[in-house]
Amino acid sequence: FGTMSFWHGLGLCFLLVIHSAVGDVCDDHLHVVHDITYVDTGGSGMPVLLLHGARFTHKTWCEVGTVKTLVDSGRRVIAVDLPGFGETRGRRGLPEEQKIKWMMQFMEHLKVSKAVIVAPSMSGTFALPLLFHEPQLFIGYVGVAAVIGEVSPEVLRQVKVPTLLVHGQRDHMGQRSSSVYSGIPGSQVREIPDGEHACYLTNPALWHDMLTTFLKKLERATAA
C-alpha cells in the first residue's frame, strides 16, 4: 500500500507540474482589450486562431495542452473567448453578418491578415460564414464537429481553402458535419477512435498529431 501511495502521489505531482506549465503559457500571454479576453503568444510563426464550443472557453485549449503544443512547435497561437462566452462581454446568438464583422475586426486588431482557424462545434457559426464570404483571411480551416448550417454543395465546391475535418467516433452529429463539409475540394477527414463530441478531450495526443501534421503540410505548401 505504501508503494502504491508513493507512485500515486508522484503521478499527481507530475500532473500538477504539467498543468502549471500549460497555465503559465496562457497566463503570460493573456489580454483583455475592448472587453474581449484572449491569449496571444505572439511571434512570427504561422498564426493559429483557436475558437471554442458552447460549453467551453479559451481556457479549454490551455488545459488540454493545445496552446503549448503549438507554441513549442513555433506557431503564433491565439485563443479567444467569443462574444458572451467566458470573460468576453457581448451577447450570444449574433446574426451571421455581425459574426463575420466581429471576426474580421478581431483579426484586424491582432494585425493578422490570414490564419489557420480552428472551429469546434458552435464556433463553426463564426468560422464558416467567414470561410464562405472572406476566404482570403484563411491559410487553412480546421472544423471539429462544426455546426451544420444551410449551405449548398455548390458553395462548398467553390471553397479553395485547405481544410481538415475532425470528429469523434461516438459523435453522430460530428460524423454528419464531416460528411457535409467534405464537399470542400481536397478536404481531409479524420476520426478519433471512441471520441465524443469534444473529441480533442478524448485523446489530446492524437488530436495534436492530426493538427500539427496538417499545419506542417500547410507550411510546406506556403514555402514552396
Side-chain angles (χ1 to χ4, degrees), residues 13-213:
C13 289
F14 179 73
L15 289 173
L16 286 171
V17 169
I18 292 294
H19 179 75
S20 176
V22 170
D24 288 345
V25 173
C26 290
D27 293 344
D28 290 347
H29 298 93
L30 186 66
H31 304 267
V32 181
V33 180
H34 303 307
D35 294 326
I36 301 174
T37 298
Y38 63 96
V39 167
D40 181 4
T41 64
S44 59
M46 177 179 283
V48 181
L49 174 54
L50 303 170
L51 309 183
H52 61 81
R55 295 190 294 114
F56 304 102
T57 69
H58 82 272
K59 294 179 181 178
T60 304
W61 300 119
C62 301
E63 293 164 356
V64 78
T66 303
V67 172
K68 187 174 187 304
T69 297
L70 296 179
V71 169
D72 287 349
S73 58
R75 279 96 187 194
R76 176 183 177 183
V77 186
I78 303 139
V80 63
D81 287 348
L82 294 168
F85 293 88
E87 298 175 27
T88 292
R89 293 188 181 181
R91 70 181 181 89
R92 302 184 182 188
L94 294 173
E96 182 176 291
E97 297 78 10
Q98 290 187 32
K99 290 180 177 180
I100 294 174
K101 182 179 179 181
W102 190 93
M103 289 286 292
M104 292 181 69
Q105 289 179 337
F106 180 60
M107 292 180 69
E108 183 178 355
H109 162 71
L110 296 170
K111 295 181 170 56
V112 172
S113 59
K114 57 195 323 184
V116 178
I117 300 183
V118 179
S121 194
M122 172 280 301
S123 63
T125 64
F126 283 81
L128 287 165
L130 195 69
L131 179 66
F132 300 144
H133 295 286
E134 305 290 342
Q136 75 280 0
L137 297 177
F138 287 77
I139 300 171
Y141 168 67
V142 181
V144 186
V147 167
I148 302 172
E150 295 182 5
V151 57
S152 70
E154 179 58 31
V155 168
L156 293 176
R157 283 195 292 269
Q158 293 175 5
V159 176
K160 305 302 181 185
V161 174
T163 297
L164 172 66
L165 305 168
V166 182
H167 63 263
Q169 184 182 20
R170 297 178 181 274
D171 179 21
H172 297 300
M173 190 191 85
Q175 292 173 15
R176 288 195 297 112
S177 173
S178 291
S179 176
V180 168
Y181 294 119
S182 65
I184 296 174
S187 57
Q188 305 170 43
V189 178
R190 298 288 182 269
E191 182 176 87
I192 293 183
D194 295 320
E196 304 291 347
H197 186 59
C199 54
Y200 42 87
L201 299 179
T202 305
N203 190 334
L206 180 56
W207 154 247
H208 292 149
D209 181 65
M210 290 176 175
L211 179 58
T212 54
T213 298

